[in-house]
DNA sequence: GCCCAAGATGGTAGCGCTACCAATTCAGAT
DNA sequence: ATCTGAATTGGTAGCGCTACCATCTTGGGC
């Protein structure tokens, strides 16, 4: 019965077993095998057992390309982040991967390098595969990207921030409030000449800066010369350099709010090197609460941001949407937490 | 509207333009469009222009799933790394992405969490898509994984290490020699009671430890109680904890070789906190040379490892292999570089 | 003028899977 | 008995693309 069959198949087959091989070995139709794989509940236990036995015996693995073509849906979730150097996004990715355990979904991941054009290109590329979901960073897509996302035909989650107008769903926290909270903490601790250091100055950094500014203005402490930023990438050494610039401009600084922890760490080292006591002479706070902040000497006050949780939640939202559940609230604010540590201990803020 | 057409096509088409749409608009055969996309040289300039005009007009994007199915080859490179928390692999990924600019290749990336079983599962999963290449970390695959890789039917690059028996190609450096070099440097600086701190203790950590041990034994300084390790993940705080353990065991320590920079940073902070001068009382060296090592106070001696370059080179090797070039030497050793800094400055090693 | 190689182009048959129906069975309702 | 609907299973026609040939030029060597 299969002479003709063999003659026909020999031409281009990859040599690997196919669904049809499994089906004939198990004595069922191909579609039943497909169902046993995608939705086991819909196949009787009896057949299911035989089918899985055949799969094991043949070492069958489903061909995801054929599956994606036939169903116009790839078991892939596209993830776009602006950077990998940045520890923060590595943890988001970890959260995403963790949320994906025991799922057949794959992550396809792209690095936009903080470029909106690159983001648009990647969204286009990802959409061409008909992904099951898309996760993008931030809320500042170009109009063209936004239009692409709106007709993506799959769940879309914007992560890291919350805002009023989600493409589909959103999970993050308010960088503006984060900036406010850490600045207010420094004011409460008695600091007045509180500088702001920022690198990269992507939209999220700007919103943190706005938070800083709003609190400083309310306290009548704002002074533009207290703000030192660069569009260059953030790094520990950049923290040191920004500190030098800031200290030269405003030597009466009594505290620094850093746009992120890398910078804060750079400031700490620079202060050590310059013999400036932290927090005795200068109080110091970071943003994100990387693991090292709590063990630094002195330990450094920071805003703990729910990076892992954001990834986890984003995947949960994608999966829920895939099974038809619409979230009651499409925007999830995971908040943040101020971690007060030695670097802003108020006992030392008197001597200014 | 054209009823017949709609009746036939409306059923399952995705609604997006296909190759056939482009072909009919350009007045050519579908295969010619396919060729214009994959290998423009083989299509006359005249047709090429018309085809690309049609593509632009229709907003056509190639369906990678259909392409992969038909050609039994996906434009995807699978990348397996053991961790994302670890900065080191983030930089390798950066190098990979950077090497991929202007290529239609995509990265599909998987996290093995330092588990050989997970690695095997992921290799199997990746291979099911017929990737164009595979990049895996390390050289300690299970026999089953190795067998899968050997008949992968695509270029395979093992990264991070070099060894005698590549599956296909290899790019990395010798962790054993790295461990030797940094330890020898400490010996040369006059240290004798040189401890080793290690976390995670994956195979690469073990090889660094072996390097340490071989040099220490040659100098007749080896003492098992100088070695403090844990299988728990590496972190800055873990560095502090290992330091406490080590210092309690061997209070006459005059130097520490850390398995990586995170640990070294933790040790530095712990020393600050304990009032132990670095390098006055204890010399300190890390491994990998993360950016912050050079700006820490004191700056920390480390082994600079070519992480970005490894990713870059791995992609270059995959691409070369895809176009049929076999490298003259399948194993590329990118080496490493000892960065001597304040934390091991010999001026301070007398007072032991 | 003829032949053949090389280059350009196209027709068609799959690649391996799933959507869409249809067919079958069986329990429970009428 | 007959009908109805749910549950289970299968046949078949694509999904959109590329491999494999076939065909049709063109140009140069003899």
């Amino acid at each position: 019965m299969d002479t003709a069959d063999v003659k026909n198949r020999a031409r281009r087959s990859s040599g690997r077993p196919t669904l049809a091989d499994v089906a004939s070995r198990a004595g069922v139709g191909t579609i039943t095998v497909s169902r046993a794989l995608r939705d086991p509940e819909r196949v009787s236990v009896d057949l299911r057992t035989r089918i899985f036995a055949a799969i094991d015996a043949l070492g069958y693995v489903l061909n995801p390309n054929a599956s994606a073509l036939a169903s116009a849906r790839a078991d892939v979730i596209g993830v776009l982040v602006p950077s990998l150097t940045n520890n923060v996004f590595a943890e988001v990715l970890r959260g995403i991967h963790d949320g994906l355990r025991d799922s057949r979904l794959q992550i396809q991941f792209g690095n936009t390098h903080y470029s909106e054009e690159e983001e648009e290109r990647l969204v286009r590329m990802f959409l061409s595969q008909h992904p099951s979901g898309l996760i993008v960073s931030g809320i500042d897509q170009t109009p063209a990207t936004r239009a692409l996302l709106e007709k993506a035909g799959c769940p879309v989650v914007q992560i890291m921030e919350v805002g009023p107008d989600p493409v589909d769903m959103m999970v993050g926290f308010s960088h503006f409030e984060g900036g406010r909270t850490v600045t207010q903490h420094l004011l409460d601790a008695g600091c007045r000449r509180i500088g702001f250091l920022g690198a990269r100055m992507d939209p999220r950094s700007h919103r943190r800066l706005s938070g800083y500014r709003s609190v400083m203005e309310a306290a009548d402490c704002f002074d533009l010369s207290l703000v030192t930023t660069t569009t260059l990438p953030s790094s520990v050494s950049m923290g040191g350099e920004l500190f030098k610039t800031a200290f030269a401009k405003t030597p009466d600084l009594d505290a620094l709010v850093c746009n992120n922890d890398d910078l804060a760490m750079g400031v700490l080292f620079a202060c050590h090197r310059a013999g400036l006591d932290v927090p005795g002479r200068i109080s110091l706070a970071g943003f994100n609460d990387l693991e090292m902040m709590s063990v630094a000497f002195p330990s450094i006050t920071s805003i703990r941001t729910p990076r892992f949780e954001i990834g986890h939640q984003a995947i949960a939202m994608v999966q829920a949407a895939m099974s038809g559940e619409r979230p009651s609230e499409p925007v999830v604010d995971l908040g943040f937490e101020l971690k007060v540590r030695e670097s802003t201990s108020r006992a030392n803020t008197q001597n200014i």
Side-chain angles (χ1 to χ4, degrees), chain A residues 205-328:
Chain A
S205 302
H206 273 292
R207 284 189 263 276
R208 291 176 202 167
L209 173 54
S210 298
Y212 158 87
R213 179 168 183 158
S214 83
V215 168
M216 288 293 275
E217 282 175 346
D220 210 24
C221 288
F222 183 71
D223 172 355
L224 199 54
S225 67
L226 286 169
V227 175
T228 310
T229 63
T230 173
T231 54
L232 293 173
S234 179
S235 67
V236 178
S237 58
M238 180 57 77
E241 286 173 37
L242 288 173
F243 171 72
K244 273 178 223 147
T245 310
F247 199 63
K249 272 195 301 187
T250 50
D252 60 337
L253 277 179
D254 59 13
L256 279 170
V257 170
C258 296
N259 185 45
N260 66 44
D261 289 343
D262 286 348
L263 298 182
M265 194 55 75
V267 171
L268 180 65
F269 289 134
C271 286
H272 281 177
R273 205 168 277 281
L276 298 169
D277 186 44
V278 175
R281 172 64 182 81
I282 292 184
S283 291
L284 180 61
F287 204 104
N288 278 324
D289 197 27
L290 298 186
E291 184 255 344
M292 77 177 91
M293 305 313 272
S294 66
V295 293
F297 180 72
S299 59
I300 304 177
T301 295
S302 194
I303 295 280
R304 178 179 133 58
T305 55
R307 307 178 294 277
F308 182 87
E309 293 83 352
I310 285 175
H312 217 272
Q313 174 74 28
I315 278 297
M317 291 172 94
V318 167
Q319 290 184 316
M322 281 171 63
S323 40
E325 304 161 31
R326 280 282 105 182
S328 51

